[in-house]
Amino acid sequence: MTHKKAHPASFRDPSGFMFVEEGVFKRQINPIYFKQYLALKDSGFFDKLFQKEVLIPHEELTYSSEQIIIQPEQIPFITYPYEWCFNQYKETALLTLKLQKFSLEHGFSLKDASAFNVTFHHGKAIFIDTLSFDFYIENSPWRAYKQFVSHFLGPLLMAHYHGAQSLKLMSNYMDGIPLNMIASMMPFKSKLNPFLYSNIHLLAKFEGKYNEDYKGESKIKSLSKKAQLNIIQSLYDIIKKLSLKEHSEWGDYYNKTNYSDAAFNLKSDIINAWISKLNTKTVIDIGGNDGTFVRRITSDIEHALVCDIDNNAVDFNYKTIKKNKEHFMLPFVLDVLNPTASIGFNNVERDSFIERIVKYQPDVTLALAVIHHMSLSGNISFEMSAQFFAKFSKHLIIEFPKREDSWVQRLLNNKADFKDYFGFYNIDNFEKAYLNYFEIIEKQSIENSERVMYLLKTRHD
């Protein structure tokens, strides 16, 4: 048997592990899980979930007494829970509950309910942990219930009451947000809600009591399948009703922009011409707001990433994707001034944004109306932003708002007495810094605006 090196994110489950072979992700299944795997396979359980497009499809490559190797459908770009907008997070929670309901109805159960078992592919949430299913034991409670609360219900409730920034706590709590922390952040009125009291406050209290049971004397109470299905339905109903109550500056950015209609359309035309010339198939739009300019691309784009710091903009984009049934676009939340870091054991369980986007290698990077925010809001020098984009961009389409632009003036005025420090912000210094990392292929001013578009090619010397 050839020894395979487990992926750094795949060491927690003795049932098997992911590994990479010649750039392709594969999964090894260990003998301890053969019985479950064969039952799931032979009963048609897997095939039904593949048809419903809720579980990542796989093909079986090899079978021996020592291991089974399967190859799942490859996902171009993995996003993590702390990068999802509110409605993406809701969809992953509802998908997990649907899977548990389906499992129970077919004699199985999810043995874990981690938010990291789900990602987005072809415009929708999809479950990616093939080995999470186990046999259902009659009258046993859902063993992953507490994990579901700490990974899904709790974070969504915190976002509902305190804003979408709460979802980013998952980057600090990969094993789920502690129940006592969730309970402490719920408003007092939540204790008057019977469902929230039992599923948050009482659960947190019991967890504290269980943690003090050093002798292991606590007994697991029995729960009928019908009762468990009722709990799942209640969880589903309350999560489905949750909404986000917050306003953002950028959520309706394109309704407040300082472009004329003609300038807006010209900008789109310039992007389209350059995208077409490069025979572009993959794109990332950094600071892409609600995906407007990616949707206006007329070329046949196979896959597009659209990220933005603002949850509401990403949320609006995701709702549009669902409405239009778009499969090519993947939105996610990203602060370009603080890109997602590598986390987990040895800082290698979950890759950073930079690591993932370098592997993704987009044909074109779009950076539209973002450089002035990086430079003036984030104090990022042109040299630093050029280094950032050069790490992963083959070609860069970047928009430079000149000093006279009204948005630039607004940002400069916010600097008060430090306004003069930003004297470096001008087009000459921008070009000088970027020419250290890029070649200028084309440059075009947007008429009736104070903005200039650049098509740049990364230098490899």
Side-chain angles (χ1 to χ4, degrees):
M1 179 177 66
T2 305
H3 177 71
K4 299 173 181 66
K5 184 180 180 182
H7 188 276
S10 189
F11 65 88
R12 296 171 183 263
D13 188 355
S15 301
F17 59 87
M18 294 295 295
F19 65 96
V20 181
E21 191 171 67
E22 296 180 352
V24 178
F25 278 87
K26 300 178 182 179
R27 188 187 294 274
Q28 175 174 313
I29 302 171
N30 296 329
I32 193 175
Y33 193 74
F34 279 12
K35 189 176 181 181
Q36 291 91 330
Y37 171 78
L38 292 173
L40 292 159
K41 172 187 168 184
D42 295 341
S43 67
F45 182 88
F46 279 149
D47 285 337
K48 289 174 184 175
L49 294 185
F50 297 162
Q51 291 167 11
K52 292 174 180 289
E53 298 182 341
V54 292
L55 174 66
I56 194 72
H58 69 256
E59 59 174 316
E60 190 177 295
L61 300 181
T62 64
Y63 186 120
S64 72
S65 61
E66 297 175 313
Q67 61 184 24
I68 300 171
I69 304 298
I70 62 174
Q71 181 177 311
E73 183 177 316
Q74 304 295 289
I75 298 176
F77 190 87
I78 296 287
T79 54
Y80 300 130
Y82 38 85
E83 296 173 323
W84 300 336
C85 66
F86 183 76
N87 274 289
Q88 283 178 308
Y89 214 112
K90 268 183 67 172
E91 185 176 326
T92 63
L94 297 176
L95 172 64
T96 303
L97 291 172
K98 287 177 186 176
L99 281 172
Q100 176 60 4
K101 180 176 184 291
F102 185 85
S103 297
L104 287 173
E105 291 169 346
H106 290 79
F108 299 100
S109 180
L110 284 174
K111 63 183 181 182
D112 58 74
S114 168
F116 293 96
N117 287 345
V118 192
T119 194
F120 287 84
H121 187 43
H122 294 319
K124 60 193 295 187
I126 192 161
F127 200 80
I128 58 174
D129 191 351
T130 311
L131 311 189
S132 276
F133 303 94
D134 207 343
F135 296 114
Y136 169 69
I137 300 172
E138 198 67 33
N139 291 322
S140 64
W142 184 20
R143 60 195 275 193
Y145 160 70
K146 190 183 80 171
Q147 188 180 34
F148 180 86
V149 173
S150 63
H151 277 249
F152 290 107
L153 178 62
L156 284 166
L157 285 169
M158 290 168 66
H160 171 73
Y161 288 116
H162 303 292
Q165 292 293 329
S166 303
L167 300 177
K168 292 186 177 180
L169 283 170
M170 284 297 291
S171 65
N172 291 83
Y173 300 101
M174 285 178 56
D175 292 325
I177 301 176
L179 295 178
N180 60 352
M181 181 178 177
I182 295 170
S184 70
M185 294 184 70
M186 293 297 100
F188 178 79
K189 64 181 180 180
S190 66
K191 292 184 177 181
L192 306 179
N193 181 309
F195 181 85
L196 294 183
Y197 181 75
S198 61
N199 287 274
I200 298 294
H201 298 284
L202 207 56
L203 186 62
K205 183 179 179 181
F206 284 158
E207 183 189 44
K209 184 178 180 181
Y210 180 78
N211 288 340
E212 294 176 0
D213 178 23
Y214 303 113
K215 296 181 180 180
E217 295 174 346
S218 298
K219 294 182 179 179
I220 298 176
K221 295 182 179 180
S222 64
L223 186 72
S224 70
K225 182 183 288 189
K226 182 179 179 181
Q228 187 176 155
L229 286 168
N230 288 339
I231 292 172
I232 290 168
Q233 187 62 52
S234 297
L235 286 166
Y236 191 94
D237 291 342
I238 195 163
I239 289 174
K240 193 169 184 179
K241 292 177 184 176
L242 288 177
S243 61
L244 203 59
K245 303 170 183 177
E246 60 182 23
H247 173 74
S248 68
E249 181 179 3
W250 306 106
D252 58 350
Y253 175 76
Y254 292 121
N255 291 329
K256 301 187 292 187
T257 186
N258 55 356
Y259 290 111
S260 64
D261 288 344
F264 189 86
N265 290 328
L266 177 58
K267 175 178 172 179
S268 183
D269 291 342
I270 293 169
I271 294 168
N272 266 315
W274 290 346
I275 288 281
S276 177
K277 181 182 295 185
L278 296 171
N279 192 30
T280 305
K281 295 301 178 185
T282 55
V283 168
I284 181 169
D285 191 351
I286 301 286
N289 202 265
D290 61 6
T292 291
F293 281 101
V294 169
R295 282 193 178 83
R296 291 169 69 98
I297 293 174
T298 53
S299 300
D300 186 18
I301 298 294
E302 293 178 358
H303 198 251
L305 307 176
V306 180
C307 53
D308 200 276
I309 189 175
D310 186 80
N311 176 86
N312 284 4
V314 178
D315 222 36
F316 184 82
N317 189 11
Y318 192 62
K319 289 177 183 176
T320 305
I321 286 171
K322 304 301 285 188
K323 179 182 177 182
N324 296 344
K325 297 182 179 179
E326 296 166 337
H327 294 168
F328 77 101
M329 194 185 304
L330 173 60
F332 59 101
V333 178
L334 180 82
D335 180 357
V336 72
L337 300 179
N338 183 26
T340 309
S342 300
I343 63 171
F345 184 68
N346 274 331
N347 292 139
V348 293
E349 277 191 74
R350 312 296 171 193
D351 289 341
S352 69
F353 165 73
I354 297 292
E355 289 168 321
R356 282 174 286 149
I357 198 62
V358 167
K359 291 175 184 175
Y360 181 81
Q361 289 192 317
D363 293 329
V364 171
T365 298
L366 297 176
L368 311 175
V370 73
I371 187 66
H372 54 311
H373 294 293
M374 294 178 72
S375 302
L376 304 179
S377 299
N379 291 18
I380 303 296
S381 69
F382 291 142
E383 178 80 10
M384 292 166 65
S385 61
Q387 285 179 344
F388 170 76
F389 289 119
K391 285 180 180 178
F392 57 86
S393 304
K394 297 176 185 176
H395 290 87
L396 172 64
I397 296 176
I398 188 166
E399 176 185 17
F400 187 86
K402 292 186 283 188
R403 202 172 180 86
E404 296 76 20
D405 181 86
S406 61
W407 279 95
V408 173
Q409 285 297 309
R410 176 186 173 192
L411 292 172
L412 285 170
N413 289 335
N414 288 339
K415 298 297 180 179
D417 294 341
F418 293 97
K419 184 177 180 178
D420 292 341
Y421 170 78
F422 294 90
F424 72 86
Y425 187 90
N426 59 61
I427 204 161
D428 291 336
N429 286 334
F430 167 77
E431 290 186 6
K432 183 179 178 181
Y434 272 67
L435 282 171
N436 290 325
Y437 301 90
F438 297 92
E439 301 173 34
I440 298 178
I441 306 302
E442 291 192 46
K443 171 183 175 181
Q444 187 170 340
S445 296
I446 302 175
E447 296 177 12
N448 301 315
S449 79
E450 296 293 341
R451 302 191 173 197
V452 181
M453 298 289 291
Y454 290 85
L455 172 58
L456 307 178
K457 182 179 180 181
T458 307
R459 294 182 184 275
H460 295 289
D461 44 48

